[in-house]
């Protein structure tokens, strides 16, 4: 009954019912993010990338948000509630309806082990396709304390997994550990699960006991080894930061492999879905939130914060620019220092170089927005749109009170507060007229100068 073909159906069950108390958080542990996305979704994504066509998540009744997040990611995900946390075998049993009568492969993953790569899961699948009934993902632990140890026989075959608390002194010296990720031929899992008991140090139902049971029946068991960094789990905030660091290293490597130059890669933070084109130059200390795509030949100067933005070829952004969700920066635009853009389309070759807020707006091609311009998009109740035509010139320190439309090629004089539409090619001035009193300053100086000539 062992072995499944390489293209058999694959069910991934993600265990996520643990309490996560060490996170000290009101948010369920597996919903804490790395690379701007909850850990649980990284795991589901890897499973899917490894070919999982069925997904299931085991959650605790205390955290319905966990199931909701999984469903939002993949609506077909089966959500199974484990009423009490009685161990990993008990958790898998909660999801038994997902594999009853199933002839494919079942992959067990943990929601708090977010760095697992699809390639590794595919290696486990392959071990099953090659005839194993169970494949265990192991790793060499720098410090094995706390992990289940892989007990090999004289032939190097896996005999059993011994949990730390149940291990003898000799077994504790073993550094080859269980990552927790396992693949089962589904009928084997279904047959063994009900036979797992809880006579152990923790009084829990250990999924790892399936190995010794399978071995007693002479079923072939494979071990696949992964780097420790890939299977590291997250139990507290320090481990969350450690996982983030591994993910960031991968994302930076991906950007550079794609042809981007990162002057100081360790200072650039990417989101899981950041897309960077070829020949981009990214200066130090740039933060990408989710939903950013950057075209080719874009220069992002130091200290920019960018999320939910599409930046086209040849654009120059920053230093110190903030691009918020809904920003579209067209080809060759210039967005300079201390400029904030939100929900706005900046069309080709437009320039917004200094100290400006553009929100809920369109800035037409080749328009020039001067220093200190503000689109006043919010009246305290509603947001309104500003439309700046192609080739328009907005003088420095102007306020454009939305809704308002500046026609193509129009000119707004500096310091204007524009409350009405401006016709194409017109000049609009909305400020006090300048007056000049000849010699006023000289007379003033004379009045306050003392006889000794000092002011
Ligand atoms: C488990 C493994 C151990 C392995 C280690 C790797 C078992 C018995 N032990 O130990 O061999 O070295 O992971 O980190 O499997 N969970 C539930 N419901 C439960 C219990 C656990 O959903 O009733 C989930 C947890 O949320 C977690 C995962 O299963 O994501 C592992 O549980 P945990 O208690 O951390 O197991 P360990 O003792 O670390
Ligand atoms: Mg654990």
């Amino acid at each position: 009954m062992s072995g499944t073909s390489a293209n058999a159906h694959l069910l991934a069950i993600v265990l996520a019912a643990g309490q996560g108390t060490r996170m000290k958080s009101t948010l369920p542990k597996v919903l804490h993010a790395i690379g701007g996305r909850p850990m649980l979704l990284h795991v589901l994504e890897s499973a899917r990338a490894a070919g999982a066509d069925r997904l299931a998540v085991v959650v605790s009744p205390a955290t319905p948000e966990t199931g909701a997040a999984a469903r939002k990611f993949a609506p077909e995900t089966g959500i199974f509630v484990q009423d009490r946390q009685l161990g990993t075998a008990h958790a898998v049993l909660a999801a038994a309806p997902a594999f009853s009568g199933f002839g494919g492969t079942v992959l067990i993953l943990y929601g708090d082990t977010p760095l697992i790569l699809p390639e590794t899961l595919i290696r486990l699948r392959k071990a099953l396709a090659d005839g194993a009934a169970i494949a265990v993902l192991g790793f060499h632990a720098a410090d094995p304390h706390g992990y289940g140890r892989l007990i090999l026989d004289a032939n190097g075959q896996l005999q059993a997994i011994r949990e730390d608390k149940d291990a003898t002194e000799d077994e504790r010296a073993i550094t080859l550990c269980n990552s927790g990720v396992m693949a089962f031929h589904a009928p084997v899992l279904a047959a063994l699960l009900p036979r797992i008991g809880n006579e152990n140090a923790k009084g829990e139902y250990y999924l790892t006991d399936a190995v010794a049971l399978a071995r007693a029946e002479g079923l072939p068991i494979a071990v696949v080894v992964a780097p420790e960094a890939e299977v590291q789990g997250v139990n507290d905030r320090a481990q969350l930061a450690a996982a983030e660091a591994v993910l960031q290293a991968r994302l930076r490597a991906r950007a550079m492999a794609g042809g981007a130059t990162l002057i100081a890669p360790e200072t650039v933070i990417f989101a899981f879905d950041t897309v960077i084109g070829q020949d981009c130059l990214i200066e130090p200390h740039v933060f990408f939130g989710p939903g950013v795509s950057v075209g080719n030949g874009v220069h992002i100067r130091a200290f920019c914060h960018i999320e939910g933005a599409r930046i086209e070829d040849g654009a120059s952004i920053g230093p110190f620019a903030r691009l918020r969700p809904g920003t579209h920066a067209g080809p060759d635009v210039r967005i300079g220092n201390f400029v904030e853009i939100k929900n706005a389309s900046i069309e080709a070759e437009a320039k917004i170089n200094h100290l400006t807020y553009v929100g809920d707006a369109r800035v037409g091609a080749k328009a020039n927005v001067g220093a200190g311009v503000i689109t006043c998009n919010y009246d305290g109740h509603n947001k309104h749109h500003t439309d700046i035509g192609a080739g328009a010139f907005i003088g420095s320190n102007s306020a454009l009170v939305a809704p308002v439309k500046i026609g193509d090629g129009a000119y707004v004089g500096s310091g204007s507060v524009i409350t009405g539409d401006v016709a194409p090619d017109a000049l609009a001035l909305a400020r006090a007229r300048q007056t000049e009193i000849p010699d006023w300053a000289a007379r003033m100086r004379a009045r306050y100068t003392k006889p000794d000539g000092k002011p």
Side-chain angles (χ1 to χ4, degrees):
M1 70 187 209
S2 66
T4 44
S5 76
N7 51 9
H9 285 295
L10 180 66
L11 161 68
I13 301 177
V14 183
L15 307 189
Q19 296 302 306
T21 46
R22 277 178 282 166
M23 293 299 281
K24 305 231 167 68
S25 176
T26 54
L27 187 68
K29 175 167 76 174
V30 297
L31 297 188
H32 282 263
I34 59 170
R37 173 167 69 173
M39 291 193 279
L40 174 64
L41 305 193
H42 285 271
V43 177
L44 290 171
E45 177 75 57
S46 270
R48 205 143 72 167
D53 50 359
R54 304 169 187 211
L55 300 173
V57 178
V58 178
V59 302
S60 122
T63 57
E65 317 88 291
T66 302
R71 277 273 169 81
K72 202 168 156 211
F73 173 80
E76 73 280 11
T77 306
I79 307 300
F80 297 92
V81 177
Q82 185 192 18
D83 286 321
R84 286 185 301 153
Q85 279 64 69
L86 300 180
T88 46
H90 184 260
V92 174
L93 203 54
F99 56 89
S100 81
F102 179 51
T105 297
V106 180
L107 198 56
I108 307 298
L109 299 157
Y110 293 171
D112 62 0
T113 306
L115 298 164
I116 190 80
L117 290 169
E119 302 87 277
T120 303
L121 302 181
I122 288 167
R123 283 200 288 144
L124 289 169
R125 279 192 93 170
K126 171 132 197 327
L128 262 63
D130 289 348
I134 302 177
V136 174
L137 186 64
F139 67 103
H140 294 280
D143 173 11
H145 176 81
Y147 291 113
R149 310 298 204 283
L150 302 192
I151 314 288
L152 307 181
D153 66 16
N155 301 320
Q157 298 296 306
L158 185 62
Q159 271 184 305
I161 302 178
R162 191 88 66 239
E163 291 308 304
D164 192 62
K165 286 203 167 129
D166 302 295
T168 64
E169 215 40 46
D170 284 352
E171 288 169 341
R172 286 208 176 112
I174 296 170
T175 57
L176 180 60
C177 292
N178 174 29
S179 70
V181 178
M182 296 171 89
F184 291 86
H185 182 45
V188 170
L189 179 65
L192 296 181
L193 260 190
R195 294 174 45 199
I196 294 176
N198 65 348
E199 300 82 35
N200 52 53
K202 282 172 125 180
E204 284 188 359
Y205 296 88
Y206 293 160
L207 182 62
T208 46
D209 283 352
V211 167
L213 292 174
R215 167 90 182 197
E217 301 209 346
L219 294 170
I221 303 164
V223 175
V224 170
V225 176
E228 182 166 14
E230 188 184 333
V231 295
Q232 68 189 67
V234 172
N235 296 303
D236 57 30
R237 307 273 183 159
Q239 290 173 340
L240 183 69
E244 178 82 59
V246 172
L247 180 63
Q248 289 300 331
R250 285 183 190 167
L251 295 171
R252 290 166 192 144
R254 183 168 86 184
M256 291 187 280
T261 292
L262 274 55
I263 296 174
E266 64 286 1
T267 69
V268 177
I269 302 295
F270 290 108
F272 69 99
D273 62 348
T274 310
V275 175
I276 306 282
Q278 227 171 292
D279 289 315
C280 289
L281 174 59
I282 303 177
E283 294 185 6
H285 298 286
V286 174
F287 180 94
F288 293 93
V292 176
S293 76
V294 177
N296 297 323
V298 171
H299 187 175
I300 301 179
R301 290 164 208 272
F303 298 102
C304 288
H305 190 285
I306 303 172
E307 55 186 328
R310 182 161 66 91
I311 302 171
E312 293 202 58
D313 296 353
S316 171
I317 311 293
F320 298 98
R322 179 172 183 206
L323 305 186
R324 292 170 52 200
T327 295
H328 165 223
D332 300 308
V333 304
R334 296 277 171 277
I335 293 172
N337 40 226
F338 306 106
V339 173
E340 175 182 350
I341 315 264
K342 183 213 79 169
N343 186 33
S345 182
I346 316 302
E347 297 179 350
E349 294 179 59
K351 290 185 191 144
I352 311 175
N353 275 329
H354 340 259
L355 301 153
T356 288
Y357 172 60
V358 173
D360 303 311
R362 176 186 77 103
V363 176
K366 296 192 178 182
N368 187 94
V369 177
V373 170
I374 306 287
T375 55
C376 307
N377 58 327
Y378 186 50
D379 59 14
H381 303 280
N382 292 301
K383 302 280 171 66
H384 301 283
H385 192 258
T386 298
D387 192 82
I388 298 174
F393 183 100
I394 312 299
S396 294
N397 204 32
S398 291
L400 307 178
V401 182
V404 71
K405 186 169 162 57
I406 313 296
D408 289 352
Y411 209 102
V412 168
S414 299
S416 292
V417 176
I418 299 293
T419 55
D421 290 354
V422 178
D425 296 320
L427 166 67
L429 291 167
R431 63 189 189 209
R433 187 173 283 276
Q434 184 168 320
T435 56
E436 184 166 316
I437 305 171
D439 292 327
W440 182 93
R443 288 202 304 277
M444 194 70 166
R445 229 175 359 255
R447 186 187 305 165
Y448 289 106
T449 303
K450 295 177 189 142
D452 63 5
K454 290 189 180 148

